[in-house]
Each structure stands twice: as structure tokens, then as C-alpha cells.
Amino acid sequence: MTFGSLQDSLDLTNEMPWEARDVPTTVYEMLANTAAKFPDRSAISYQLESGPTDKAETLTWREVHEKVCQIANLLRDLKVGEGDVVALVMPNTTETALALIAGMVAGIANPINPLLEPEQIGAILRETKAKVVITLKAFPKTDIAQKTAEAVRHAPGVHTVLEIDLNRYLSPPKSWIVPLIRPKNPTGHHADVKSFHKEVARQAKTLNFEDRKVDRVAAYFHTGGTTGMPKVAQHKNSGIIYQGWIGDTLLYTEEDSVMCPLPLFHVFACHVILMAVIKSGAHVVFPTPAGYRGDGVFDNFWKLCERWKTTFIITVPTAVSALMQRPVDADVSTVKNAFSGSAPMPQELFTRFTEATKINIVEGYGLTEATVLVSCNPVDGEKRIGSVGVQFPYTEVKIFKDTDKGPVECAPDEIGEICVAGPGVWAGNTYTEEVKNRDLYHHERFLRTGDLGRIDPEGYIWITGRAKDLIIRGGHNIDPAEIEDALLAHKDVAFAGAIGQPDAHAGEVPCAFVELVEGGTVTAEELMAHAKVHIHERAAYPKHIDIMPELPKTAVGKIFKPDLRKNAITRVYNSALQDAGIAARVVSVLDDKKRGLVAQLEANGATDVDVSKVLGSFVRPWEWAEKG
């Protein structure tokens, strides 16, 4: 179905409000409806290890409903009410998916990235006033239990920790070995520690409390960051169910099998996938605790798709790039679509993937603050490579520019800030901290995304840059201030500016430019070593540091980062061309009104094909200087 035919079928011309549509009111109601409709269909599958014949677990929709009821009943017994928070510091497991749903049913679910440092996890637990934490029992090759214990020590509101033992997924002899090598269970905090499975088993398989049909906050998701204190976004039932409705209406049916190697602590996997399969009755597969990062997942990926008769792949550009380095070594004839988000996909990568696999790529756009998706390219309609498609029904995407008279909507193809209103935007209450909501909206209802873009005359949305300075490395947000503060701590550094430099695999990676104090003698190599000591997250380590005589600055002395970005594009692209033995070189980088920063090249005898093979893997476009 195309978006045009969808809108015709929904009769959007009558502007029927989303709230008036025949949709569930709560996440529990959405799950109960699907369990009644498709009780014996496969719902959630999980395998701890990545081999195509490794042990796996599959639950039907009836079983998912029963287990969610048991977990929700347990949480209520632990005094988790509608306004109380249950945090999950978990990798992907069957229990993670079930507890996420149950947390929304009993109270407010708050999944937390287990890769964060203990102080960050603890800060989120304090900010959300979490009462119960669900995490792993100490297990070989992971420190999640240890980090969570340290975080709980600094979160006085947590009264209970429920531990999940991954050993149940293993078979002998591995399952015999784990108790012998299991790390000592962490102690030292104030909370009660209980076995998740033992406590859940005591509960009834039907809900023993009223699921009140109210539109309340059902989830907290922290913003992506790998550095700094993440902000916490609030998601109401209506926004979450809207994501389920979008998935059911536009993406999946009960016949689909969805391969999702993305983390459930992120909104993409939770709302775009898990909530959408709940609404549609589709089957979702989560391979390994770490998803794409799991041992052997990329090497076995196509065989896993064959095993599970996958019809829909959920991916991101960095994963697609890694998959293209492996042969398609299995029967993937069942796979029809791949949904890609988190960052724009380079055109060359898009083309290579579709040619190698014959799989249709659907690119979308969303953000945590808007309860995820706001647009995507039509699954069956016209796709415009490089765009993030058209806005979904009941969602409004507008481009605004600031003027002396306030924000003004841009004309078609005019660049401004992308702003969003719709069922997933809770204007005025996006974040738990009131101060973070200030200046976050235009006209009191349009969420300011911080992304720069344009909408073409046919309604397709194009992202051209960011008003914010965030560096997005493979879908993870990195605050450049963390890098700059670390560098400025060095006695020889006067000014520092961190940006994202182009990267063929991750989209962009951090780099930094510094200006030294008069008489400063520190080298770039010494600053790199200094940064690794003072920056807490490995993902934020700069890949390159450039010492400049003077950083470009605005009239008021602020570092002018567009010039730094041009510098980085020139350096990275020229280095890639030189390494490939191609004589073309970047001679300038222009700020195009429609495409953002564009590298202009001198051919020096090189051809379009030569350059495309090298630069086609990068997101930022290029063109010949003589054609400019």
C-alpha cells in the first residue's frame, strides 16, 4: 500500500483526530487483543548464541500474554504503581522484551543502556526515582551485574533488584561450566536481591489488577548519549500505541517474521519493532544479547534469516556496511524489505546492498523525543534515495526558520529546522526535567528536533545537517562538549572544537581541532593520550586531533564549526582517495542550499566510477568542481 492510497483509505481530508480512531487505549489492551486473535502464532524468538542451529526459544502470543501478566503482577506486588518506575539494565533476552511490556502495564518502564558507566546508570535511576531494577545475575564475559550493583548503591529509591540468569539458555556442557566460573555476585548496596524467575513463577497468568484505560506515561527512554548525563524522555500510551499502529498499518502483518538485532534499550527496537509486532501479530527474532555486536552475528546473519524465514530485516547503515563485507551465503528469498534508521545511508551503500541481496531498503526518520518514527519512504511507493520519506498520517513535519518576528515556516526546498507534532509529541512535557523543555517547541506544539532539512514539493523530507552539535557515531549520540572539556583540561590548550568527521562505516566519528596557548608545545599524539585518560567513554575518543595556529571563530569569539567540518571532509576524502590510488582531490567544500555540505573535486584524470567506488560509502555528497 502506498502512502497516497493509505491516506485515501483513512479519509484524512476529514481530519479525524488520532484519538478518535478505533485503537487500543493501553499497551496491555493492545497485547490482549493480539493474543486473543493469534494465540498460537509465534511471537518472540531468541537465541543466546548466533549459530544458525544453536539453541533457541520461541513464545507464542498466548505465552507472551501469560508471562507479561505474571511479571506485571509481580511488579505490583513490589509496590510498582502506575506512576512508579521499573528500570531494566539488560542486554537483549526474551525476559527483556517481556519485562519491558510488563513494566508499561504495571507502571513506567525505563530501559537503560547497559554499556553506560555506573555513574550514568545511577544518575538515570535517581532522575526517574526507580523503585525496582531488573538486570543480569553475574555471568561470565559481562560486567552488567557489577555495574548495576554499583549504580544501585547510589540510587536510594531502588528497593528491589530482580536478577535474570542467562545460564538457562545454555545446554550441557556449557551450562555445567558456568556455575564453576561465574563471577562472584556483587554486593554492597541497600536493595533486596531476588531471582526474577522464581518470583515470576509464583504469579497468576492473568492480570490481577485493573488495567485502567487512561493515557498515562508508560515509558521513560534516555536519549542516546554515550557521554554526559542523558536526558530522559517521557512516552505516553497514546504515542507508543501510535507506533504500533503505524507498524501494523504500513509495515507488518501477522505473516511477517522480523529480524531485529538492535538493542531493546533503544526506542527503535522497542517501539518501532516490539510494539508494532504486538499490534500486528508478526513474529520478531532477537539474535544474541548484543544483537549486531554479538559474536558471529554478522558472519551468520544470512543463515539466521534463512532459519527464521525472515521477511523484514531491521538495520542501520553501519550494520549494512558490515554485511556487505560478507557473502550472501544462504537462501534469503523470503526477505522482502530492510528497514533502516538512525542515520542517512550513503547512496553507494544503498545501491550495493540492493544489488547484492535484491532486498528493498526502506529508510525512515525518528527521534526519542517524538516517541520515534515520524516519516519513512513508502514501502510500496516511490523511494527517493537520500531522503527519509514522507510524514506519517496524523504526524505533521514542518521546516521553520527563525526571524525577527519569530519562527516562520519555510518554502518548499528551503532549509530550516525540522520540527514535528503528532501523537508521539507531548509538547511541554518531552523531558522529565522541566528546564530541559524550555525553548524546545515552536508555536507551543512543534518539537524542535535540532536537525536541519528541507521538504521538497512532493513532500519528501531531506536531512541536510544539524542545528545541534551532536556527533552521531553509528546511531549513538556523543556530546562534543565532553571531548572539548577533556582537551581544555590540558594546560597547553586554549580553545577546542569537536565535530564528527565523515566515516565510511559509522557515518561519522569524533575528531577535534585545538588552538594552543602562547608558548604551548603539546603534540597531537600527546593530546590523544590525554583525551583517552580524561574521556570516560571509548566511543567518544577522537579519531584525529588537529592543532591549528588559530581556530575559526565568529564575531563574538565562538568557534565556527562549519569551517571545521569542511576541513575534516577535505582531509578524510583526500586521504581515502590517495589510499585508493585515485588522483582526484577535494579542492573546496560548499554549503549547498539543498544538500548541505558538498565536496567539490578536481578530477586529475579520475572518472565518476573511480571516485564513486571510494566516496560512495560516505554520507556527505561530492561533485566535480568544474560542474559546480
Side-chain angles (χ1 to χ4, degrees), residues 34 52 61 109 125 132 149 158 260 263 270 289 350 353 359 394 408 455 479-480 505 520 542 549 583 587 595:
T34 296
W61 282 113
L125 294 177
V132 175
V158 176
C260 183
C270 180
F350 187 106
F353 181 81
I359 295 171
Y394 307 106
V408 174
I455 300 177
D479 184 352
H505 174 65
V587 292
R595 294 178 292 167

Side-chain angles (χ1 to χ4, degrees), residues 37 137 176 263 325 351 536 559 567 604 615 622:
K37 191 174 182 181
K137 183 180 177 70
W176 298 339
Q325 297 172 42
T351 302
H536 300 299
I559 295 171
N567 181 304
N604 299 326
L615 300 188
W622 67 274

Side-chain angles (χ1 to χ4, degrees), residues 379-414:
V379 175
D380 301 320
E382 180 189 357
K383 295 171 186 60
R384 299 193 175 180
I385 300 173
S387 84
V388 292
V390 298
Q391 67 186 27
F392 287 128
Y394 307 106
T395 290
E396 293 180 78
V397 179
K398 293 185 180 293
I399 311 295
F400 285 106
K401 61 181 177 182
D402 289 319
T403 70
D404 293 340
K405 297 180 180 179
V408 174
E409 188 173 357
C410 292
D413 274 337
E414 184 180 5

Side-chain angles (χ1 to χ4, degrees), residues 243-526:
Q243 292 295 317
W245 179 83
I246 284 292
D248 177 39
T249 306
L250 294 176
L251 300 176
Y252 320 124
T253 73
E254 70 275 11
E255 302 292 334
D256 279 304
S257 176
V258 184
M259 179 63 65
C260 183
L262 298 180
L264 280 162
F265 62 74
H266 194 277
V267 287
F268 194 175
C270 180
H271 292 343
V272 179
I273 315 308
L274 185 58
M275 294 301 133
V277 300
I278 290 174
K279 181 66 173 70
S280 63
H283 175 206
V284 62
V285 178
F286 295 106
T288 82
Y292 279 119
R293 297 171 184 263
D295 290 342
V297 170
F298 282 121
D299 292 335
N300 292 316
F301 186 80
W302 300 117
K303 291 186 176 72
L304 288 171
C305 289
E306 180 178 5
R307 174 185 191 174
W308 294 106
K309 296 181 172 55
T310 300
T311 61
F312 227 112
I313 291 169
I314 308 304
T315 191
V316 293
T318 51
V320 171
S321 178
L323 287 173
M324 285 297 90
Q325 297 172 42
R326 277 91 170 165
V328 181
D329 56 358
D331 179 4
V332 294
S333 58
T334 60
V335 183
K336 304 303 180 187
N337 296 292
F339 191 94
S340 178
S342 89
M345 186 174 295
Q347 183 166 349
E348 176 70 16
L349 181 59
F350 187 106
T351 302
R352 281 196 291 127
F353 181 81
T354 53
E355 289 179 350
T357 65
K358 311 306 179 189
I359 295 171
N360 177 39
I361 294 181
V362 179
E363 289 193 86
Y365 171 64
L367 60 160
T368 303
E369 291 82 350
T371 323
V372 213
L373 286 184
V374 298
S375 72
C376 81
N377 274 279
V379 175
D380 301 320
E382 180 189 357
K383 295 171 186 60
R384 299 193 175 180
I385 300 173
S387 84
V388 292
V390 298
Q391 67 186 27
F392 287 128
Y394 307 106
T395 290
E396 293 180 78
V397 179
K398 293 185 180 293
I399 311 295
F400 285 106
K401 61 181 177 182
D402 289 319
T403 70
D404 293 340
K405 297 180 180 179
V408 174
E409 188 173 357
C410 292
D413 274 337
E414 184 180 5
I415 290 177
E417 185 176 8
I418 300 174
C419 299
V420 181
V425 176
W426 190 15
N429 296 279
T430 295
Y431 299 119
T432 54
E433 293 179 87
E434 172 58 32
V435 67
K436 301 285 177 65
N437 293 312
R438 295 174 188 168
D439 301 319
L440 192 59
Y441 315 94
H442 279 326
H443 303 299
E444 299 184 346
R445 60 184 292 260
F446 284 94
L447 174 72
R448 301 177 62 184
T449 68
D451 292 317
L452 299 177
R454 61 184 174 89
I455 300 177
D456 69 22
E458 288 72 43
Y460 285 76
I461 303 161
W462 303 77
I463 299 173
T464 59
R466 284 193 301 281
K468 298 176 182 176
D469 282 340
L470 285 179
I471 299 163
I472 301 183
R473 178 178 183 168
H476 292 282
N477 294 351
I478 298 170
D479 184 352
E482 297 290 324
I483 302 169
E484 293 160 359
D485 289 347
L487 292 171
L488 288 168
H490 194 284
K491 63 181 180 63
D492 281 359
V493 175
F495 298 96
I499 63 164
Q501 72 177 33
D503 184 81
H505 174 65
E508 61 183 14
V509 294
C511 75
F513 298 81
V514 301
E515 178 183 331
L516 302 184
V517 300
E518 187 174 351
T521 59
V522 68
T523 65
E525 291 74 20
E526 290 168 338

